[in-house]
Amino acid sequence: MEIILKTDIAGLGYKNDTVTVKPGYGRNYLIPQGYAVMATDSNKKIVAENIRQAAHKAEKIKNDAQAIADGIGDMTLTIPAKAGDSGKIFGRVTNTQVADALREKGFDIDRKKIAVDDVKTLGTYEATLDLHKDVKHKVKFEVVSAE
């Protein structure tokens, strides 16, 4: 079943993308929630016209996302965490902690746009920021003991 997304959905696609999903997922979840519409010829024409009209605005949004990525650059964040003697931390480092560390540096990025691998020990790691569908940026962060 082909649908046109009305919002960005992680793991599926971005706004105005035409994607193929299983019929039950489209009919029972995406369309009733307002996240998508059926990909009929008329809807495809409407989306094409909307994209054409929003091209200038989309370029500005992309440039803003690129400016944020350039501003972050090769910055290394420091995230404190309680850890045992062996270097294993209690709990884990999440995308919320990375978002808070970025906010302290002056970058307000939604935690849902940050992907962090499983972090369970002290050390240096990378998080991926999904700033725009064409702008992905990796930021390094160091997990240090908070004693």
Side-chain angles (χ1 to χ4, degrees):
M1 158 180 229
E2 268 197 335
I3 58 168
I4 301 170
L5 297 176
K6 293 169 83 177
T7 61
D8 296 349
I9 298 177
L12 188 58
Y14 296 94
K15 182 177 180 177
N16 295 329
D17 283 354
T18 302
V19 295
T20 303
V21 296
K22 292 189 175 184
Y25 184 48
R27 276 195 308 270
N28 298 328
Y29 178 69
L30 295 174
I31 294 172
Q33 293 290 331
Y35 296 147
V37 294
M38 294 289 293
T40 62
D41 289 337
S42 61
N43 283 342
K44 287 179 182 179
K45 288 178 186 176
I46 291 170
V47 167
E49 180 63 22
N50 290 344
I51 289 172
R52 190 185 65 74
Q53 290 178 0
H56 178 69
K57 184 178 176 185
E59 187 65 28
K60 182 184 181 322
I61 292 171
K62 180 181 174 186
N63 289 339
D64 290 346
Q66 187 62 48
I68 291 171
D70 293 342
I72 293 172
D74 292 335
M75 180 186 301
T76 301
L77 305 171
T78 303
I79 298 176
K82 290 184 180 180
D85 295 335
S86 64
K88 184 173 176 166
I89 63 174
F90 301 119
R92 63 178 57 190
V93 175
T94 63
N95 56 354
T96 305
Q97 291 169 294
V98 175
D100 291 341
L102 283 167
R103 195 168 297 114
E104 288 175 9
K105 299 284 186 177
F107 299 99
D108 190 20
I109 297 174
D110 185 19
R111 66 177 174 83
K112 295 175 187 165
K113 296 183 181 272
I114 300 173
V116 178
D117 290 335
D118 204 20
V119 177
K120 293 184 180 179
T121 59
L122 300 176
T124 303
Y125 299 92
E126 276 190 349
T128 304
L129 308 178
D130 186 8
L131 301 171
H132 185 270
K133 71 178 184 180
D134 296 331
V135 181
K136 309 274 189 278
H137 187 71
K138 291 197 181 289
V139 64
K140 290 182 182 176
F141 64 94
E142 184 177 2
V143 181
V144 296
S145 180
E147 292 182 25

